[in-house]
Structures are given as structure tokens and as C-alpha cells.
Amino acid sequence: MAVIASALLFSTQSCDENMAEPDIRLSNALSAAGDLVNITNPGFESDWTGWTDTDPSATSGDSHNGSKSAKITGSGGKVEQTLTVNTNTDYTLSAYILEAGTIGANVGGTNYSDGGDYNDWTQVTVSFNSGSSTSVTIYAAYNGGTGRFDDFELIEGAGSTDPAEPTEGKLSVSSVSASADDGNVPTNTLDGDLDTRWSANGSGQYITYDLGSSQTVSSVKAAWYKGDQRSSTFKIRVGNSTSSLTEVYSGSSSGSSNNLETYNFDATEVRYIRITGLGNSSNTWNSITEVEIYGEAQDGGTDPVDPVDPTDPGSANVPSDLMDNCNQWKITYPNGEEDKTLCNESNNEYFYVNDDQNAIVFRVPIRSNNGSTPNSDYIRSELRERTESGSSDIYWTTSGTHVVYSKQAITHLPIVKDHLVATQIHGNKSDGIDDAMVLRLEGSHLFLSFNGGKLRDDVTVSTNYSLGTVHEVIFEVIDGKHYCYYSEDGNLASAYANGNASNYLVKDGNNNYVMDKSYGEAYFKIGNYTQSNADKEGSETDNPNNYGEVLVYDFYVSH
């Protein structure tokens, strides 16, 4: 199928006046990349024709092109369409997003996605390979706030073009975006002025540079706001899709200069370069005044600190080998059965040690014979806290200090309803407090949920969580105040133990805590509470690739 090298909008009138007009759009930006895959109604000019929509969703008159777009206004909102593709072929999906949103493709049970919160219509792209799949499901989904979506395109072979030759000079940046800003916007880092900056508060805020095409990159220069007064901690991740980035540098600025500092790493062919800030030696702000990107390593560069490898092989044989106190926990399996004797319990299909012998796998296949616990429609392979002796279930009040820590990775989501909860605090059901605070992933949106929004609004942890990313999370309750710490750099446990984990706090506004609520009958849960079931998954039920999965490398509780 030939690609026309200009932007066209065709509208044809069928002889049947009741039939919707087709909506066909081609982009000159992708004309040289590969063939367009046919998407029905890619700009929503014919409302939901060709798409399956899940409320809360609607069409909007605020569009990037034409007269309509899709609008998603709440958690669970989604629009999707299944397309036929060739096997073992590279594809690039793109769409324009206004405000908060995520786009993605589900390929054989694996999600590839990207998104954010955009002040203007912004084209977002996701690259993937079809592998053995002959069809993929593309979608737009909720990402923490109202979002609009327009002009979907899927290009075959777009990821197969050869990258440019390395250059000794500075590479040109096509666009820049950020997870957040305080009015000091990301474009300030490309204006050649060390007196302007991008700033965002909170460990894990990031700024992403798009080169426009895959090129060889091996050096980043960055200048830091107040760089002569404080040292900023950060990591650099790169890739050809923002949903699949690899860490190439982890370290800190010198703390002695306001000028550009050079960070070299092994040459790699990538399109996107992301700098993720982890705060500075004075506070949790991330502030960069200028960035330059180079194809070849630059003189005077600093070599990266070796990133923490959370997957060093271990020696565990059964799950209890990775538990400090195997008596302190019981587990509920996806068939609804409960097991209170986990010491030396054999591996089974829902609860077992991974091949590297360093993590417990909590696996929840979606099957027609699944069972659930009372008061829940969803299925789990999940630990529930008990007393230290294991003689009974534990219940505590939010007075005093209570802590749960987990080092984990969410590695797989269900195909249809791609939602999963890992790490929970439960409370007094009779007071309307059940899942008081949970860490929840929907697509690539990782966030804190508070009894499904009944206690307070969701708090975003990451808008772009990539499946398989090992992270640490701490829930801390002190006299009713709920705190959450989150990190992907492997340093949270030691920082918390040393009393200097403030850079890892998840914040909402000016408070360090995310909720102030007192209640009783509380307990912690760790593992995998998959937020789906056979009814939600429909025809995908009993598909062996349809499951939720979490790996837990380390965990503890304290009271």
C-alpha cells in the first residue's frame, strides 16, 4: 500500500445517507517510514464506528484534525480496536493526545504504551514488534485525568530504518516533554541560556528528548540549576520507544559547577533520551538549565555508576526461602483456596521461585474455573499478614507506626482489563474502609488508589511504568498519616533505614503524606491481586497468555 506524502483528509458520501462517512488520514511525517495499516475511523469522525468504548468515554468537539476526537474522563475509560498485522514485523503506533492520556498496543498479552499530560495536542508514538501475533489491539486509555485522543496511525516497518551515522557534533532534538513542571518548562533546557530552566518537584520526575529518528547516542551534557551549591542525583534511560527504556547512566552532578557537565555511556542506537531526577542534596527538586546530546563520547565525561542489578541470581528453592518469617503470612490462590502453612511449601503454578532463584512469582491465570474470596469479584495470588507466630490473622489500628516494604516487579497484565494491584493496606470494612491504600497499575499508569477513590482521589506514582521494571515501595502509617516512598534505583531500602529517604516520597501538593485517616482492623497484603476475571476477559478467558504476574524479591513488615 503506497503512502501519500502529504496530509490528506478524504470524505466520501455513500449512496446510503444513514451510513457514516469514512475517516481516512495520512501523515507526511510518516510517509517515508513504511506502509499504513488500515484503521477504521482513526479520527473518531464517525463516533465509535470501528472502536469498542468503555465508559467513562465520549466524543469531543475539541479535535486535532477534523471536527471530533475521543474523550476519556475517568478511571477504567478506554477505546480500542483490533487490527490484523503481519508476524515478526516492526510497527509504530501514533496518535495525538491533549491533556492526560495513554495510547498503546496489546500484542499477544504484552502491552506497549506511552502517554503523559500535555498542554497542547502532542503526537505520541509507541514502537513494537508483532512477534508471532497476527493481530494487535490498539487503544487509548485514562491516565489520571481527562484526556482527548485523535488521528491514530499504525505504520508497518517504521522501526526498521537504519539509524544515522554517529556524529562528533551536537545532535538535533525534535521535541522535548516532561512528566511535570512548575512553570519552568522543558523547552528552556534547549534555549542555550543557563539562566532559564526546567523544574519539577519529587523523586522520579523526568524530562524526555525526542531525536525524531533512531540515532547513535553515547553522551549527554547537562547543566543543573544551583549546580555550584548542591549535587543532583539522576539516571539516564534511552530507547526507541518511551514505553521500553534502558538505563545507561546513574550518578550525581558534581555540586561545584553551574556549567554543562558531561556524562558518557556505551554507544547505542536510540530515538528517546530520558533524564529522571531523584532530587538533590538539599531537597526533592529536579532542575536542569541546559541539555546537549551527542553521538560520540565527549572529552572530560564522567563514566556511569553501575546501576543496581536487582536480578543477581539467588539460591532459593521454595518461596519460604525468601521470607523472613514464613509463619507470618498466609496466601489466597486464584482458585479461591487459602494456605496458612507456607514454611517449606512446595512450588505450585500460582506461587513459586523464579528461574534465577531470587524472587517469588505470584501468578494469576484468567480461567473459567477461577475462584474469589468473599466480598471480591477478582482473583489473586496474594499474601495476607498474620501475627508473628502465625496463630491468627493480625489487625492493627493506624495509631503508632506501621510499615510494609516490597521490592517487586509487575511483569504481566491481563489482556482485556489490564489492571493489577500489588501491595495493599486493608482497613475496617464496617467503616467503609476496605482497600485503604493500594499500589495499582492500569496499563502503564502506576498510582495509589484509596478504596477506589472513596477516601480521596488517586495519586499518580508514574505515568509510564514499563512492565518488568524492578521497583521498591514503602507504605508507612504514622498516627493516621499515610506515606508512600517509591524508587526504581535500588537504593530505597538503605536510604529509609538510614533516615534519608525523603527524596523518594510520593507527594500530593505540599504534604509529605498522601492521606490522613484513622481506622482499625488494618493489615498489609503483598503479591498479586489481579483486577479481572473470566467475565471481564470474555473470549480471552483460558488463553494461556492471559494472566497477571508479580515478582517479589524482598519484603518485610514492622509495627
Side-chain angles (χ1 to χ4, degrees), residues 196-254:
T196 64
R197 68 183 187 274
W198 163 73
S199 293
N201 191 19
S203 178
Q205 301 286 4
Y206 56 80
I207 185 168
T208 306
Y209 299 88
D210 180 2
L211 301 180
S213 62
S214 182
Q215 301 184 54
T216 298
V217 177
S218 59
S219 189
V220 170
K221 291 185 177 183
W224 304 86
Y225 177 62
K226 295 185 178 180
D228 60 345
Q229 303 174 39
R230 62 195 191 189
S231 175
S232 295
T233 303
F234 66 97
K235 60 185 177 182
I236 300 174
R237 301 171 72 194
V238 301
N240 282 306
S241 167
T242 54
S243 63
S244 180
L245 298 172
T246 301
E247 184 175 318
V248 293
Y249 192 101
S250 177
S252 299
S253 64
S254 68

Side-chain angles (χ1 to χ4, degrees), residues 434-456:
D434 188 2
D435 44 352
M437 184 167 86
V438 308
L439 184 69
R440 183 180 179 112
L441 181 66
E442 295 185 358
S444 61
H445 182 214
L446 187 67
F447 62 97
L448 299 174
S449 176
F450 304 84
N451 209 18
K454 296 177 183 177
L455 302 180
R456 60 144 300 155

Side-chain angles (χ1 to χ4, degrees), residues 212-532:
S213 62
S214 182
Q215 301 184 54
T216 298
V217 177
S218 59
S219 189
V220 170
K221 291 185 177 183
W224 304 86
Y225 177 62
K226 295 185 178 180
D228 60 345
Q229 303 174 39
R230 62 195 191 189
S231 175
S232 295
T233 303
F234 66 97
K235 60 185 177 182
I236 300 174
R237 301 171 72 194
V238 301
N240 282 306
S241 167
T242 54
S243 63
S244 180
L245 298 172
T246 301
E247 184 175 318
V248 293
Y249 192 101
S250 177
S252 299
S253 64
S254 68
S256 60
S257 175
N258 287 322
N259 295 319
L260 287 163
E261 297 182 351
T262 302
Y263 311 110
N264 293 329
F265 43 87
D266 291 340
T268 182
E269 296 174 357
V270 296
R271 174 174 173 174
Y272 299 97
I273 297 90
R274 174 171 293 172
I275 303 174
T276 300
L278 304 174
N280 63 72
S281 54
S282 298
N283 52 51
T284 59
W285 279 93
N286 311 287
S287 300
I288 302 175
T289 60
E290 200 69 19
V291 166
E292 295 177 355
I293 300 167
Y294 292 83
E296 292 190 351
Q298 300 297 292
D299 292 340
T302 303
D303 291 332
V305 176
D306 289 337
V308 174
D309 183 1
T311 58
D312 288 338
S315 58
N317 294 309
V318 294
S320 60
D321 291 340
L322 293 163
M323 303 168 72
D324 288 340
N325 182 356
C326 53
N327 291 312
Q328 196 174 4
W329 301 92
K330 67 179 181 181
I331 191 169
T332 302
Y333 291 125
N335 59 10
E337 296 180 358
E338 186 177 270
D339 189 348
K340 298 178 181 178
T341 56
L342 300 184
C343 295
N344 298 314
E345 177 77 3
S346 299
N347 295 302
N348 61 62
E349 64 171 318
Y350 310 126
F351 180 59
Y352 59 94
V353 173
N354 66 339
D355 290 341
D356 286 333
Q357 297 181 274
N358 62 355
I360 302 172
V361 181
F362 295 84
R363 185 182 175 94
V364 176
I366 311 294
R367 294 174 178 160
S368 52
N369 63 348
N370 287 145
S372 62
T373 55
N375 304 313
S376 174
D377 294 325
Y378 300 135
I379 48 181
R380 66 186 82 211
S381 174
E382 187 180 39
L383 298 173
R384 194 267 197 214
E385 180 189 13
R386 309 196 81 207
T387 60
E388 289 189 10
S389 66
S391 59
S392 63
D393 291 344
I394 192 172
Y395 297 95
W396 40 269
T397 73
T398 52
S399 298
T401 298
H402 312 273
V403 178
V404 62
Y405 164 82
S406 183
K407 183 177 184 179
Q408 59 195 29
I410 301 171
T411 53
H412 203 281
L413 296 173
I415 293 174
V416 178
K417 189 182 178 206
D418 54 349
H419 300 178
L420 184 150
V421 165
T423 313
Q424 303 190 57
I425 305 175
H426 272 247
N428 190 333
K429 292 181 181 179
S430 63
D431 290 343
I433 301 170
D434 188 2
D435 44 352
M437 184 167 86
V438 308
L439 184 69
R440 183 180 179 112
L441 181 66
E442 295 185 358
S444 61
H445 182 214
L446 187 67
F447 62 97
L448 299 174
S449 176
F450 304 84
N451 209 18
K454 296 177 183 177
L455 302 180
R456 60 144 300 155
D457 294 338
D458 298 339
V459 175
T460 293
V461 175
S462 171
T463 59
N464 193 33
Y465 179 82
S466 180
L467 289 178
T469 299
V470 177
H471 57 278
E472 296 171 283
V473 62
I474 290 175
F475 287 177
E476 179 186 59
V477 180
I478 303 176
D479 293 329
K481 290 183 171 60
H482 293 56
Y483 302 83
C484 178
Y485 302 80
Y486 179 86
S487 168
E488 295 179 7
D489 66 7
N491 296 320
L492 175 57
S494 59
Y496 184 81
N498 294 325
N500 58 2
S502 59
N503 284 353
Y504 298 110
L505 274 168
V506 176
K507 293 189 175 184
D508 181 37
N510 295 323
N511 294 325
N512 286 338
Y513 58 85
V514 291
M515 183 171 69
D516 189 355
K517 185 77 174 177
S518 297
Y519 51 90
E521 298 185 15
Y523 55 92
F524 292 123
K525 303 193 80 172
I526 290 175
N528 173 6
Y529 183 23
T530 296
Q531 301 292 286
S532 194

